[in-house]
Amino acid sequence: MSTAQANDAQRRGKASAGERVADWADGRLGIYSMAKANMRKIFPDHWSFMLGEVALYSFIIIILTGVYLTLFFHPSMGEVVYHGPYEPMQGVRMSEAFASTLDISFEVRGGLLIRQIHHWAALIFLAAMFVHMMRVFFTGAFRKPREINWLFGFLLFFLGMLTGFTGYSLPDDLLSGTGLRFIEGVFLSVPVIGTYITMFVYGGEFPGTDLIARLYPVHVLLLPGIMLGLLVAHLILVFYHKHTQYPGAGKTNKNVVGMPLLPVYMAKAGGFFFLVFAVIAVLSAVATINPIWTIGPYRPDQVSTGAQPDWYMGFAEGLVRVMPGWEINIWGHTLVLGVFIPIVLFPVVLLAMGVYPFIESWITGDKREHHILDRPRNAPTRTAFGVAWLTAYFVMLIGGGNDLWATHFHLSINAITWFVRIGFFAGPVVAFIATRRICLGLQRRDRDKVLHGRETGIIKRLPHGEFVEVHEPLSQEQLHTLTQHEQPKPFEVGPAVDENGVARKIKRKDKLRSKLSKSYYGEQAMIPKPTREEYQEITSGHGHH
């Protein structure tokens, strides 16, 4: 036997051994069959879909860096005297939690960078999730069969806010202690049981001795575990329901136009993960966040100047700051409405966005499956609601930083407070009306483009002296994109009397649903699409240049 034949036989033997191992594993785990059925699944491609990936990759980075930090952090409020390498803190009495955070920052190799990456990744995770949810909302991607997945995403965002708050409270510095003091005030504002809640959470009078030790397992185990489960369920439903896609030629509710998961999508996703990691690492290396060594350890007799929470908690902070200091006494109990009302209002505003898919489904009566996304202009009422909600949110962010706005722009803090109070109620109304009118104007523009074509800016003079602008006809793909959306009829309650002239009993909820439905599909909410007859008449040249 020649050397080449021997090598071939050896290769066949190795391949056979590998095949036997693969067959053994597949017979018990079904890996090959599952991979064959799913790895070639098609996913559409659009830049906005990367927003969800940024959130996913940021969460992975948070988990990786968090595991590293847990190796060196001591979640204890026991007092020690600092004798570490940071000279300004020499001899200062502080908690073990604060001292270990200083050690991570100055003694653990790479510890400060890991802390920075962990904090920046948390901020980017919530920001990416927020923008991703707005993309889903404005395009109608939450409609059947994805309502449950929208709730999963909403819960992820809410739990992410809680996880972030517990995280930046762990170092026990003056800034985080001020935030925990704020939360104590929130608990105390709860009627009747507020003091009991405070004693239970803090283990006694504020600040207590057990709070950091209690927050630690909540931050590193409980909340991340729940979020990880929700994230896996979210991705499974995305995979099962197939990804939504933007309207375009050849795209329907029964197909998906895009690229296979393996190898194209996986290769792009892998590269994008490292790109996100690189951006967060560079940002963490050049932009310091939460420098606890300049703030100092928490002391109950001090308050950090210009204390600000992370951006995602600014809304709740703003509600409390601009709320009048109302108090009432009932049966010997003082109700601090100036704190209690904003804290009740905060989850209500978030919940309004969380349950919106079910409200819209009831109003419109649309129970069909949707896999093609809406252009926001074609759903003016929904788009207007979303912009109004964002307006209220960002107005309250200004309220949450009213002291910094006042000092940086030399404004009266009272003027800012009254601006936020008025803006919280008037801003969403103005934003709703303006957004709806803009969407209707864009619909009219689309209608004109379909009928008359695109304006080229070229002016020609006709033989009889008239000047006209040359319009370029749209391609079939462009025409499809501008006209593919449906325009359902609003829900009608029917005539007030039946065929016998007897007054019909119409339920109040049906009357309400009819009025709300007209705001979505009525004459004032939709610009009719051009009909085939209108298009053919104009494109045939009769009375049109």
Side-chain angles (χ1 to χ4, degrees), residues 93 173-174 297-303:
R93 187 175 297 277
D173 60 294
L174 190 56
Y298 178 69
R299 287 179 50 181
D301 60 333
Q302 294 181 355
V303 176

Side-chain angles (χ1 to χ4, degrees), residues 469-488:
E469 182 181 13
V470 177
H471 286 229
E472 178 184 345
L474 301 181
S475 66
Q476 290 298 316
E477 182 175 356
Q478 291 172 322
L479 289 172
H480 174 81
T481 301
L482 296 181
T483 60
Q484 54 77 37
H485 59 282
E486 299 178 351
Q487 291 189 318

Side-chain angles (χ1 to χ4, degrees), residues 118-278:
H118 188 71
H119 202 145
W120 274 115
L123 296 179
I124 292 174
F125 167 67
L126 284 162
M129 192 155 41
F130 184 83
V131 179
H132 172 63
M133 290 180 68
M134 290 302 100
R135 195 277 302 173
V136 171
F137 178 84
F138 286 118
T139 58
F142 55 76
R143 292 172 294 176
K144 185 181 177 180
R146 297 176 180 84
E147 303 97 331
I148 301 300
N149 223 10
W150 167 265
L151 287 180
F152 285 166
F154 172 78
L155 289 174
L156 273 170
F157 181 71
F158 184 73
L159 292 176
M161 295 171 64
L162 295 180
T163 307
F165 177 80
T166 57
Y168 73 63
S169 299
L170 289 178
D172 198 31
D173 60 294
L174 190 56
L175 180 62
S176 67
T178 302
L180 292 173
R181 186 77 171 189
F182 174 87
I183 295 299
E184 185 213 16
V186 171
F187 290 150
L188 290 175
S189 70
V190 179
V192 182
I193 61 172
T195 53
Y196 298 99
I197 297 176
T198 303
M199 291 292 181
F200 174 77
V201 172
Y202 291 91
E205 293 287 347
F206 180 85
T209 57
D210 301 327
L211 183 59
I212 300 300
R214 292 179 178 185
L215 287 178
Y216 184 70
V218 172
H219 178 72
V220 303
L221 291 175
L222 179 62
L223 292 178
I226 298 173
M227 292 176 66
L228 185 61
L230 288 172
L231 181 61
V232 171
H234 182 78
L235 294 176
I236 289 174
L237 288 179
V238 169
F239 201 86
Y240 175 74
H241 290 142
K242 73 183 181 181
H243 206 293
T244 53
Q245 54 188 343
Y246 284 93
K251 298 177 181 179
T252 69
N253 279 315
K254 297 182 179 180
N255 69 356
V256 179
V257 178
M259 299 176 297
L261 178 64
L262 195 71
V264 180
Y265 195 83
M266 291 295 290
K268 293 177 66 176
F272 191 51
F273 168 76
F274 289 107
L275 181 62
V276 172
F277 205 152

Side-chain angles (χ1 to χ4, degrees), residues 80-100:
V80 297
V81 177
Y82 183 73
H83 296 291
Y86 186 64
E87 287 295 332
M89 288 287 176
Q90 286 288 342
V92 175
R93 187 175 297 277
M94 59 186 65
S95 67
E96 288 187 70
F98 187 86
S100 65

Side-chain angles (χ1 to χ4, degrees), residues 495-504:
V497 296
D498 58 19
E499 63 275 7
N500 299 318
V502 178
R504 295 175 59 238

